[in-house]
Amino acid sequence: MIDKRVADADAAVAGIGDGATVLIGGFGEAGSPTELIHALIDLGASGLTVVNNNAGNGHVGLAALLEHGRVARMVCTYPRSSHSEVFERLYREGSVALEVVPQGTLAERLRAAGAGLGGFYTPTAAGTELAEGKETRSIGGRDYVLEYPLHADFALVKAERADRWGNLAYRLAARNFGPLMCMAARTTIVQARELVELGGIDPEHVVTPGIFVDRVVRVAEPMSERAAILRGDRYT
């Protein structure tokens, strides 16, 4: 019997080792798997390459992972955002490396990894510093930059609903990068607010099929990062 449910967040992140590349879903707070990130901090893995749209806010979630010194390299679109003081400090100190990727290019690199593509050409970033060292080609009189798939060892994703096979439904904008990251990682780990029986998700509402998911844990009351930031909370 296929059953991808695990007991808790600690069990969900077990096996993530030093130097792993980890995709972390979320667009700011929306879709951020905060409890899985905190479990990853507790696990102790270091030297991580982390891929996210942002670079963390406040002192919880991804920002806390950075603050605990677990991240060697960030790949993201918006390293500077509201309450992103942790990443800015670490970057200025030279404690973390940064690769900036335009948002659409980031999404397409993830999609290319999940779809088994070898790469793609995009006009985004052509003629800018982000294109330096990359192959460029003129197509139809317009310059394009060759971008490669963004594969990863693990993905941490937040869903609204899951069943024991790992089929997922998301809540509104929390869907953002989650479906692409599920496809791009070798091992996909999901926290879901609700676990339902098979058939409990309308097939028309399944966004991520269970074939792309390896572990699911229920987090019935996920943290509000925004509220935690306003309170000045820190994950220690």
Side-chain angles (χ1 to χ4, degrees):
M1 180 180 74
I2 299 174
D3 192 345
K4 299 178 180 178
R5 297 171 294 186
V6 296
D8 54 34
D10 291 338
V13 301
I16 300 179
D18 294 350
T21 296
V22 183
L23 310 177
I24 298 181
F27 188 95
E29 179 179 4
S32 176
T34 309
E35 283 72 18
L36 290 179
I37 299 170
H38 289 169
L40 180 57
I41 294 172
D42 296 341
L43 180 66
S46 63
L48 303 173
T49 293
V50 171
V51 181
N52 185 271
N53 184 69
N54 306 92
N57 301 290
H59 299 273
V60 296
L62 176 53
L65 187 68
L66 284 156
E67 196 162 33
H68 280 75
R70 305 297 166 75
V71 181
R73 179 169 173 262
M74 276 296 311
V75 180
C76 69
T77 297
Y78 294 105
R80 300 186 67 184
S81 56
S82 174
H83 304 286
S84 62
E85 60 266 18
V86 171
F87 175 81
E88 289 193 33
R89 173 174 57 81
L90 294 176
Y91 183 71
R92 292 180 188 278
E93 293 173 354
S95 300
V96 61
L98 171 65
E99 179 184 351
V100 177
V101 182
Q103 191 175 77
T105 302
L106 181 66
E108 187 65 5
R109 288 181 65 188
L110 293 167
R111 192 193 72 83
L117 301 180
F120 60 94
Y121 284 96
T122 173
T124 304
T128 74
E129 291 183 8
L130 296 182
E132 291 181 1
K134 298 179 180 179
E135 179 183 332
T136 60
R137 177 176 295 186
S138 178
I139 302 175
R142 190 176 186 185
D143 289 340
Y144 290 78
V145 179
L146 176 62
E147 297 284 356
Y148 290 100
L150 190 49
H151 297 278
D153 302 301
F154 297 90
L156 306 184
V157 171
K158 180 180 181 181
E160 177 71 6
R161 189 170 295 109
D163 61 27
R164 64 177 173 85
W165 282 3
N167 296 308
L168 306 179
Y170 301 84
R171 182 179 184 275
L172 303 176
R175 175 172 173 171
N176 49 68
F177 289 95
L180 297 174
M181 289 183 171
C182 287
M183 296 174 64
R186 294 182 181 88
T187 300
T188 295
I189 303 164
V190 177
Q191 69 172 68
R193 189 186 64 81
E194 183 181 4
L195 291 181
V196 299
E197 296 300 321
L198 294 179
I201 305 176
D202 185 329
E204 294 296 326
H205 296 165
V206 172
V207 177
T208 297
I211 192 171
F212 296 114
V213 174
D214 298 280
R215 305 172 198 165
V216 177
V217 62
R218 186 187 184 207
V219 178
E221 298 182 4
M223 170 189 286
S224 167
E225 288 193 7
R226 180 176 181 275
I229 292 168
L230 292 176
R231 289 193 302 265
D233 291 354
R234 290 174 178 265
Y235 188 76
T236 58

